[in-house]
Amino acid sequence: MSRTPANSARVVVIGAGIVGCSLADELTARGWTDVTVLEQGPLPAPGGSTSHAPGLVFQTGPSKTMTEFAAYTVRKLGSLEVDGLPCFNPVGGLEIATTEARWADLHRKAGLAASWGVRGALLTPEQCKRLWPMLDETKLFGGLHTPDDGLARALLACRAQMERAASRGARFLERHTVTGIERADGHVTGVVTDRGTFPADHVVSAAGFWGPVIGAMAGVDVPLQPLAHQYATTAPLPELAGVNDPRNEASKPILRFQDRDLYFREHTDRLGIGSYAHRPMPVDPRTVPAFDDAPLMPSSLPFTEEDFAPSWQDSVGLLPALGASEVAAGFNGVFSFTPDGMPLLGESRDLRGFWLAEAVWVTHSAGVAKAVAEWMTDGRPAVDVHECDLHRFEDAQRSPAYIADRGAQSFVEVYDVIHPLQPMEQPRPLRTSPFHPRQQELGAYFLEGGGWERPHWYEANAPLVEGLELPERDAWSARYWSPIAAAEARATRERVALYDMTPLRRLEVTGPGALDFLHAMTSNNLRKKPGAVTYTLLLDETGGIRSDLTVARLGTDRFQVGANSPADLDWLLRHAPEGVQIRDITSGTCCVGVWGPLARDLVQPLTRDDFSHEGFGYFRAKQTYLGHVPVTAMRLSYVGELGWELYTTADLGLRLWDTLWEAGQQHGVLAAGRSAFNSLRLEKGYRAWGTDMTDEHDPYEAGLGFAVRLDKEFTGRAALEGKQNPARKLTALLLDDPAANVLGKEPVHLDGAPAGYVTSAAYGYTLGRCVAYAWLPVLPAGTAVHVEYFGEKIPATVADEPLFDPKMTRIRR
């Protein structure tokens, strides 16, 4: 990505809400001072989502990235004031539980807070009552108190950052409605408004729920669904009379009653009540009235009392004093949802210089602005943003119908307890492999990822569970799990199993410069003869791991690349020289993993080619026929057993499955799912990009130094010099108790204090222990640690890896 020298980049930001103002401040602080912020409404309150936002800033959640965004927002807004008024009021946050399930989840969330470095403590009902005297504590199991959370004064924060950015050269222009985006040769060149055209080298859409409208002008897809969210204010309450300083408005923590999809905050002597309990209310951003035509402001739609009535009763039940009050005012406020509930950040590949900073709430605003400013000025953010990358969605996830369905579901799930494996409900099934009919016949239990239906186990294998001794699971780790997974893992270790690997991304890279391009883009040596397969890393210029790849050289100028996400395709396309073609072939192909000690016995009789160890070595590829089916066979294994990945075109997929299934009957073949797969890959220590490592980690920290060749030039090489002895490491842990389980993101304690967090975890059926990988300081094998799981400190021990078959004898035979 090219970088523009400071003081020479012309930047136009569309939208002067909290994100646009924060971005102008962050850019000008980094020396990019030619910044123009265009706003269609009047300043400083232009009528978008920022103008009505209640300002809640809760830092803790399942995403480390979003927590870091919120933490920066707290720090930055806490340092700002306008006319002597602070832009952030650190009243803290209090989440309360009125059900056992929520109380358990608050224990889990307290663990997330510890993992991400946020202060938090679990409280008794009586302690909750002391913080919020209006509570009926008899309804509570307890609460989670996060003292550093609080209330952002969004419009004040906008003013403070506008003034600071303006002092460095930025300008903010109100009542400029954008009507077009100018471009030339694939690059943005300017923004057209009803009051003139503004030349630009970079344009950032920070337009909030108008993002899809701006994106359409630029020819850039913005998968965002605006929805309305109810917010009501009570009449003055005697219980709050004289309690709060009007200048600060609130003194009590933000109260979240997530069991009823509600939150509460003080407005001096009144309470504000926000509700996610009502039906989804989608809004078409193209029909939202202009500021001067709106009854109140464009983002504030009329309050629908009938939708709020159940929430008012729930509020009275929790805070009985409200029974003597009433709703004095209310509105349905519009804000943005994406299919996965995460922001949309980054530069468009189709229109260079056009950036998105969309679907961002006040909670994460300053952190997002910092990341985007770093991205624009330095070439990458300081924190991992792959969960927010605008290119993360599959094509099948970008249809208007999908965006509408998933946006509505994201709204419904805002305060739900979401299990890490919990699949979306609709639309399903969306993407199915050619093997799907056979999987259904075998009773596959499907979960979903990337729109794909993915078998996690097969009910046809249930009889194999008999005789297996497995520890009893707790309710959380037993969700979306079956003991059948243990039987499938055992069969893979003892016989042979078929795994559907179709959802793994496949790219075809061709052209006379393909080898030089891939060799320079990745960390390992790719200058090998056709037939070679290489595990390698896609790094950024700082040495951070953008992805891990398997690259098969199928011909002199033809490669098949096993990648992770659509962002990998985007990265390669951005850097590909003329003459190199890159094509995503995932949807038109399919893959079966045939793994287990009897894999060769199954496959060899189906082909005339030599599949012996001598004739078809590990990390080799061969194009052949299995029965009537042309396949590309790669001798790879993600489960630590002998076997092959077998690829063919989608039209022949079912025939390939049937051919393997029929041939495998005499060897006891079975179909196995991702639950067994995940257990087996962790026993072997195979990393999962995006979970175990991201671009915040370098190869030596991640234990992948073997895939780095410093004797060649590649992107990120210079940054890796001298980093071979890291201070932190992705570390293998074995839980001491054979009955214990963890699932990921739990804090790891060393000498009584949080020292890191779990990435991946699964029960190792071969080892008889739960295996967990965690980011920790470098520790010797045998070091005792504790993993916090729902408040319980579970003993674990640092282990050497790989935990299973360290001499690789099972794969190389």
Side-chain angles (χ1 to χ4, degrees):
M1 185 181 300
S2 62
R3 299 173 189 171
T4 308
N7 298 315
S8 66
R10 298 170 300 175
V11 180
V12 174
V13 179
I14 301 172
I18 188 68
V19 178
C21 293
S22 297
L23 181 58
D25 183 49
E26 295 287 340
L27 284 171
T28 56
R30 287 165 174 77
W32 283 26
T33 55
D34 190 350
V35 176
T36 300
V37 183
L38 302 175
E39 174 52 57
Q40 63 182 344
L43 293 174
S49 299
T50 299
S51 300
H52 72 243
L56 281 63
V57 180
F58 275 92
Q59 298 173 81
T60 306
S63 168
K64 177 175 178 286
T65 296
M66 297 297 277
T67 296
E68 291 179 347
F69 285 164
Y72 181 78
T73 301
V74 167
R75 293 195 300 273
K76 183 176 186 180
L77 270 54
S79 70
L80 300 176
E81 64 175 39
V82 176
D83 298 334
L85 293 175
C87 294
F88 184 76
N89 184 359
V91 294
L94 178 63
E95 299 178 55
I96 51 103
T98 60
T99 64
E100 290 186 6
R102 183 69 62 178
W103 183 226
D105 190 60
L106 291 186
H107 283 76
R108 184 175 69 99
K109 187 169 277 189
L112 290 172
S115 290
W116 313 146
V118 177
R119 288 200 303 156
L122 293 165
L123 304 184
T124 65
E126 293 73 26
Q127 290 171 316
C128 294
K129 175 81 168 179
R130 285 196 286 273
L131 288 175
W132 257 86
M134 293 171 65
L135 277 170
D136 179 359
E137 77 278 15
T138 65
K139 290 187 166 65
L140 306 185
F141 285 82
L144 172 63
H145 182 220
T146 45
D148 299 322
D149 292 338
L151 294 166
R153 285 177 159 169
L155 290 178
L156 279 185
C158 285
R159 280 185 56 194
Q161 293 178 99
M162 286 171 61
E163 291 170 5
R164 197 156 68 177
S167 72
R168 304 185 189 112
R171 56 179 177 165
F172 293 79
L173 303 179
E174 64 181 1
R175 294 192 177 276
H176 280 64
T177 300
V178 174
T179 58
I181 305 295
E182 292 188 332
R183 65 197 100 169
D185 301 322
H187 201 287
V188 71
T189 59
V191 178
V192 182
T193 76
D194 59 350
R195 298 176 66 177
T197 298
F198 297 83
D201 303 302
H202 298 272
V203 173
V204 185
S205 177
F209 61 80
W210 285 285
V213 177
I214 300 300
M217 296 179 191
V220 174
D221 183 31
V222 181
L224 175 161
Q225 174 63 58
L227 288 113
H229 158 59
Q230 291 202 296
Y231 193 79
T233 308
T234 69
L237 299 170
E239 291 80 5
L240 297 181
V243 171
N244 295 314
D245 181 347
R247 291 172 57 84
N248 288 325
E249 289 191 335
S251 57
K252 296 178 183 63
I254 308 161
L255 179 65
R256 290 207 286 185
F257 182 20
Q258 293 172 301
D259 288 322
R260 289 294 184 270
D261 297 310
L262 293 168
Y263 64 83
F264 306 85
R265 60 149 294 181
E266 295 173 299
H267 293 280
T268 311
D269 61 348
R270 303 167 186 257
L271 280 188
I273 306 171
S275 171
Y276 294 98
H278 54 82
R279 61 189 170 88
M281 303 176 185
V283 175
D284 184 345
R286 292 173 292 272
T287 64
V288 174
F291 186 92
D292 292 330
D293 298 328
L296 180 59
M297 65 177 79
S299 63
S300 295
L301 304 182
F303 189 62
T304 50
E305 296 181 6
E306 64 278 10
D307 289 305
F308 193 76
S311 291
W312 177 253
Q313 294 305 315
D314 288 334
S315 300
V316 172
L318 182 71
L319 306 170
L322 295 182
S325 187
E326 63 181 357
V327 173
F331 63 93
N332 292 357
V334 184
F335 62 148
S336 305
F337 285 84
T338 59
D340 60 4
M342 302 292 280
L344 297 168
L345 311 180
E347 182 188 23
S348 168
R349 184 180 69 253
D350 299 322
L351 182 59
R352 300 296 180 91
F354 185 81
W355 296 76
L356 295 186
E358 296 291 10
V360 182
W361 297 1
V362 171
T363 307
H364 310 106
S365 55
V368 163
K370 175 176 179 288
V372 173
E374 291 168 341
W375 210 339
M376 296 174 70
T377 60
D378 300 332
R380 62 154 284 175
V383 300
D384 165 55
V385 295
H386 82 272
E387 295 173 311
C388 311
D389 192 300
L390 67 92
H391 300 96
R392 67 188 181 271
F393 295 116
E394 307 281 350
D395 287 344
Q397 297 174 303
R398 305 184 78 95
S399 70
Y402 186 96
I403 294 164
D405 288 347
R406 289 302 301 151
Q409 190 62 32
S410 292
F411 178 91
V412 170
E413 293 174 350
V414 164
Y415 279 172
D416 286 359
V417 177
I418 303 294
H419 191 277
L421 293 175
Q422 184 170 328
M424 66 178 187
E425 297 176 3
Q426 295 294 334
R428 288 184 66 193
L430 182 62
R431 307 177 78 187
T432 59
S433 81
F435 321 131
H436 191 253
R438 299 295 182 263
Q439 294 166 344
Q440 289 178 305
E441 292 168 6
L442 293 169
Y445 184 89
F446 293 101
L447 297 181
E448 179 272 341
W452 287 100
E453 294 295 315
R454 301 186 179 199
H456 272 243
W457 64 83
Y458 294 85
E459 289 297 330
N461 299 325
L464 300 178
V465 174
E466 187 175 349
L468 290 182
E469 294 185 5
L470 297 172
E472 186 175 345
R473 290 201 167 209
D474 65 278
W476 187 250
S477 67
R479 290 184 67 184
Y480 306 109
W481 174 84
S482 168
I484 296 171
E488 294 174 357
R490 180 175 178 177
T492 306
R493 292 276 189 241
E494 295 178 353
R495 301 194 304 277
V496 61
L498 305 184
Y499 287 83
D500 181 0
M501 305 304 290
T502 300
L504 295 183
R505 183 165 308 279
R506 292 171 290 286
L507 310 178
E508 182 182 72
V509 183
T510 58
L515 174 59
D516 291 341
F517 167 62
L518 290 172
H519 189 69
M521 287 295 294
T522 65
S523 63
N524 212 336
N525 175 33
L526 299 186
R527 297 196 184 280
K528 302 173 183 177
K529 294 179 181 180
V533 183
T534 306
Y535 178 82
T536 188
L537 304 173
L538 200 61
L539 307 179
D540 63 23
E541 291 181 358
T542 71
I545 303 172
R546 284 193 58 92
S547 189
D548 63 339
L549 311 175
T550 53
V551 180
R553 190 176 188 186
L554 302 181
T556 302
D557 299 319
R558 184 164 70 93
F559 296 81
Q560 181 171 307
V561 177
N564 285 295
S565 80
D568 295 346
L569 174 62
D570 172 67
W571 180 260
L572 292 173
L573 285 171
R574 287 177 187 273
H575 293 86
E578 188 174 349
V580 172
Q581 293 82 42
I582 306 172
R583 188 166 64 98
D584 190 328
I585 61 172
T586 310
S587 297
T589 55
C590 58
C591 177
V592 182
V594 182
W595 291 313
L598 302 182
R600 184 175 289 115
D601 298 317
L602 190 160
V603 175
Q604 182 63 82
L606 298 174
T607 179
R608 295 180 181 181
D609 284 307
D610 185 0
F611 270 56
S612 69
H613 181 61
E614 295 73 23
F616 196 157
Y618 191 51
F619 267 85
R620 299 291 298 173
K622 187 176 292 190
Q623 292 177 293
T624 184
Y625 289 87
L626 296 183
H628 297 90
V629 182
V631 300
T632 298
M634 297 185 196
R635 192 167 166 201
L636 306 175
S637 174
Y638 283 100
V639 299
E641 296 293 337
L642 171 68
W644 288 266
E645 293 178 358
L646 303 173
Y647 299 89
T648 192
T649 52
D651 59 322
L652 291 167
L654 200 57
R655 184 60 177 262
L656 175 61
W657 181 278
D658 290 344
T659 299
L660 294 167
W661 187 257
E662 182 179 348
Q665 292 308 301
Q666 62 181 307
H667 304 296
V669 72
L670 53 69
R674 293 191 66 84
S675 187
F677 172 88
N678 201 43
S679 170
L680 297 169
R681 71 103 180 162
L682 281 172
E683 289 185 328
K684 195 60 184 168
Y686 294 140
R687 276 67 167 145
W689 184 85
T691 301
D692 295 318
M693 73 274 191
T694 68
D695 63 8
E696 291 186 0
H697 311 107
D698 70 47
Y700 301 109
E701 294 173 322
L704 299 176
F706 66 86
V708 176
R709 295 292 179 267
L710 293 177
D711 58 354
K712 57 165 264 194
E713 290 299 323
F714 59 90
T715 301
R717 179 193 177 281
L720 297 181
E721 293 282 2
K723 288 191 174 182
Q724 287 87 338
N725 297 300
R728 64 173 179 174
K729 183 181 176 183
L730 186 61
T731 304
L733 305 176
L734 280 175
L735 272 57
D736 295 351
D737 182 356
N741 277 289
V742 297
L743 298 183
K745 302 188 178 182
E746 298 87 357
V748 181
H749 297 261
L750 176 66
D751 297 328
Y757 59 91
V758 173
T759 57
S760 295
Y763 197 84
Y765 301 110
T766 315
L767 302 173
R769 292 284 191 283
C770 182
V771 179
Y773 273 79
W775 281 104
L776 290 169
V778 174
L779 300 170
T783 301
V785 297
H786 288 83
V787 181
E788 183 179 339
Y789 182 70
F790 286 89
E792 180 185 357
K793 305 292 197 305
I794 300 175
T797 303
V798 173
D800 284 325
E801 58 172 334
L803 302 169
F804 176 78
D805 188 27
K807 296 183 179 180
M808 303 282 284
T809 57
R810 298 176 71 90
I811 293 177
R812 302 178 185 272
R813 60 180 176 181

